[in-house]
Structures are given as C-alpha cells and as structure tokens.
Amino acid sequence: MLARLVLTDFRNHADAVMAPGPGFVVLTGENGAGKTNVLEAVSLLAPGRGLRRASLSDMARQGGPGGFGVAATLADTTEIATGTQPSAPERRIVRIQSAPVAATALAEWLTVLWLTPAMDRLFTEPASERRRFLDRLTLAFSPAHAVHSNRYDAAMRARNRLLAEAVPPDPEWLSALEAQMAEHGAAIDRARRDTVLTLADALADRPEGPFARAGIALDGWTGEASAADLAGDLAQGRRRDAVAGRTLVGPHRTDLAVAHLTKNQPAALCSTGEQKALLLGIVVAHADLVAARTGHPPVLLLDEVAAHLDPVRRAALFERLSGKGQVWMTGTEDALFDGLGTNAVRLTLGAVSR
C-alpha cells in the first residue's frame, strides 16, 4: 500500500501531499477538482501508460514548468517515483530508492488495478481493450509479463516494417525477429492462460450474490503449441502478412471472452448494469487471488464506482473489499460512502478526516 503520495505539477495539482491509510481511501470533491487525476497518478506507479493511457506531456500541469513528478512511499518505506523533465516531456523517468530503473521494474514492487467509467464499455469495445485489461490482470501474477510484452511488440513492429519494404528483406533478419516474437509470445500466452484458468475457477466457485458470476476464457488466437511452432507459423505467413500489412498470428490476436454464467449469455449482450456487475466481480475476485498468491493485496482504484451502483450492490462491494488492502474510490458526494462509516480515510482539497 501507499503510505504517502506526492504530486508535483501533475495535471491540476501543483503540489499535493497525501497520507492515505491501509484500507479505504475516499476522494470527494466537485467535478474538475482532480479526483481522477490522483488515481491516474497512482496508476503510473505500475508499468504501462496509466488509467487514461494519455501521453506524458498531457499529464504535466498547464502553466507549469513542463515536467511532472509522482512520488510514493510504500508501507515498507520503499520510495518509488516517476515523472518527466521539461527538456524531455515524453521521456518517462522511473526511480526506486533513488536509483533509475526501467518502468517494467515497477511490477516487482506494486500491483495496481483500476476500474473507470470508460471501462463500462469494455465488453462491446474492440478486442485490443480486453487484451489490455487481461494483461493488467496477468501482470499481477507474473511481473515479467510486461518485459515479454514490450519485447514481443518491438520485434513485431520491426518485422512488419521489413515486410512492408519494396526490396525483399533479409530472410535471416526476419527469422531472428520471428524467433524473438515466438519466444516472448509463448511466454505471454502461458501467463495469460494461467491467469484466465485460475480466475475462471475462482469465479465459478463463488455464489451468485449481488454481483453476477462471470465465465471467462481466451478466444481468438491461443498458442498451446511451442515457441518453435509459433516461429514456424510466422515464417510460413510472411507473404500473407506482407499483403495484409500486419501480422495475423500471435498473442496480439487473442481476445478475452466473458459471459454471464447464470444467464449463459455473452457479456456484450447483457444490460449495462449487468456488465458493470460482471466487471466488478472479476476485479474483486482477482484481487483476492493476488493477495492469496503473493501475500500482498493489490492497490485498487475505483473511479466513480459508488455512483453507478444501487444501494444493495454498493453495500455488498464495501463489505467485499473491507480488509482486502488499499482501495481508492472517488465521488462527488460524501454521502455515497456513508456505508463505510469511520472505516476510511477521506480526502478533499486540502482536508483530511478519519
């Protein structure tokens, strides 16, 4: 968990210092006060582009010097920081205990998961959005997943550029890139399948309750074969991929299929409320698994979650998350969180109460 959070020239926060507690952290304030900005800052303490997937230059405060900083002290006193310099607004800097590290190293220290209102459309959006969601879940179980994903993507981009050239590319160069894709692609697929199988079993064992039980599975491309088989498929598909202008086989073609188990219905065909309940059920079940497997619950960021739940589901969510780690929630009205009683640190613009 985060024991201290400091924002410097991040979004609308020129200089903010927060001391969240070990359980619920409630951020309230008017629209535009910067509640979601705080959650975005916390999300940057994990690998990836954060919950908005915004460019780094957009995160720097308007009217500020041009760079930004997000720093946190964890409960074990480890210090984590990330940000940019005005001279390089799109170059991310990450430090752990003041030492520079790659952003992927953050996965070894902190697991951060989030739900935002924009994710309510997850089941009807393109497969790429569900892959990102799945990869965030997978990263919590396998910190090396971020490294494999980055190296796979880099090799695939290089291969696509070679295939697009008018001059026939060097076959040995292509083979080397395909070997990299196969090695990292197989690791990506193994980690995803482990996550989906583990989470699917946990979801199936849960009672229905106020949150619909989700059935999940991998769809589209799944590579149960070896890395050598994937390398062979890539080599045989060069002509096809050159014509298509993209690589048509590999883990970047995988989708996450989600269904409402009780209704035996794909999530995309469920009501908006049912989709929200399915998504919440997945995230909460996953948080329980992370805590059981690693001994450390993830930090959960739930943006405007209470406003979109009826009182019964809201109370059930608070009960399910109680004692499960640090949970950040935002809302415009403090009354939405009355069910928490005194079991929360409540933060507003400059005021903190318990």
Side-chain angles (χ1 to χ4, degrees):
M1 57 161 260
L2 278 63
R4 188 170 185 265
L5 178 68
V6 179
L7 310 184
T8 305
D9 291 314
F10 184 83
R11 296 287 190 182
N12 68 318
H13 299 285
D15 186 12
V17 180
M18 303 175 194
F24 291 105
V25 183
V26 176
L27 295 163
T28 55
E30 298 179 354
N31 291 329
K35 302 182 297 295
T36 304
N37 294 342
V38 173
L39 300 193
E40 182 180 28
V42 176
S43 74
L44 291 177
L45 298 174
R49 294 174 55 187
L51 60 81
R52 283 192 177 108
R53 295 188 57 78
S55 64
L56 292 171
S57 58
D58 287 342
M59 299 178 193
R61 183 173 62 89
Q62 292 185 9
F68 72 86
V70 177
T73 303
L74 305 186
D76 64 357
T77 72
T78 299
E79 295 183 351
I80 294 177
T82 188
T84 61
Q85 295 288 344
S87 59
E90 291 295 347
R91 179 176 175 270
R92 185 179 180 185
I93 300 169
V94 177
R95 296 183 184 276
I96 297 177
Q97 298 292 66
S98 300
V101 297
T104 53
L106 292 170
E108 299 285 350
W109 297 91
L110 196 64
T111 298
V112 184
L113 299 173
W114 56 80
L115 284 181
T116 68
M119 293 174 66
D120 290 351
R121 303 184 296 273
L122 183 70
F123 301 127
T124 58
E125 289 189 334
S128 58
E129 296 301 317
R130 289 183 291 281
R131 276 196 301 275
R132 288 193 187 99
F133 176 67
L134 171 59
D135 285 337
R136 178 63 55 186
L137 301 180
T138 302
L139 187 62
F141 290 148
S142 177
H145 188 65
V147 174
H148 289 300
S149 296
N150 288 344
R151 292 179 179 175
Y152 176 88
D153 289 343
M156 181 172 64
R157 288 194 298 270
R159 177 180 182 269
N160 288 344
R161 285 196 297 270
L162 282 179
L163 292 175
E165 293 178 354
V167 178
D170 181 351
E172 292 187 5
W173 194 355
L174 278 175
S175 294
L177 290 171
E178 288 162 355
Q180 292 179 42
M181 289 179 64
E183 175 189 354
H184 298 295
I188 290 169
D189 184 70
R190 284 195 301 271
R192 283 176 177 169
R193 281 190 284 119
D194 173 65
T195 298
V196 168
L197 289 173
T198 303
L199 187 52
D201 288 344
L203 288 166
D205 290 340
R206 287 182 179 273
E208 184 69 21
F211 296 104
R213 286 189 304 127
I216 63 172
L218 291 180
D219 196 9
W221 186 91
T222 55
E224 296 187 6
S226 66
D229 292 329
L230 177 54
D233 290 342
L234 289 167
Q236 292 177 9
R238 290 173 186 174
R239 184 184 299 274
R240 174 203 61 207
D241 293 348
V243 173
R246 61 188 188 280
T247 301
L248 297 177
V249 62
H252 63 287
R253 305 284 290 177
T254 299
D255 195 358
L256 177 66
V258 180
H260 190 308
L261 283 180
T262 303
K263 297 179 68 173
N264 192 27
Q265 181 173 302
L269 300 180
C270 293
S271 70
T272 302
E274 287 173 330
Q275 291 183 23
K276 182 79 172 185
L278 287 167
L279 194 53
L280 272 168
I282 291 172
V283 170
V284 173
H286 179 265
D288 288 343
L289 287 173
V290 172
R293 181 176 286 196
T294 68
H296 303 286
V299 173
L300 294 181
L301 310 177
L302 306 179
D303 194 19
E304 298 289 349
V305 66
H308 296 84
L309 293 175
D310 57 53
V312 172
R313 285 194 173 93
R314 193 184 309 152
L317 179 65
F318 294 163
E319 182 180 357
R320 284 281 299 277
L321 294 175
S322 180
K324 297 295 179 64
Q326 194 172 62
V327 182
W328 296 65
M329 296 186 289
T330 67
T332 56
E333 301 176 23
D334 197 56
L336 291 170
F337 306 99
D338 284 347
L340 295 175
T342 60
N343 188 29
V345 169
R346 300 173 188 268
L347 305 177
T348 59
L349 294 179
V352 181
S353 61
R354 185 82 184 177

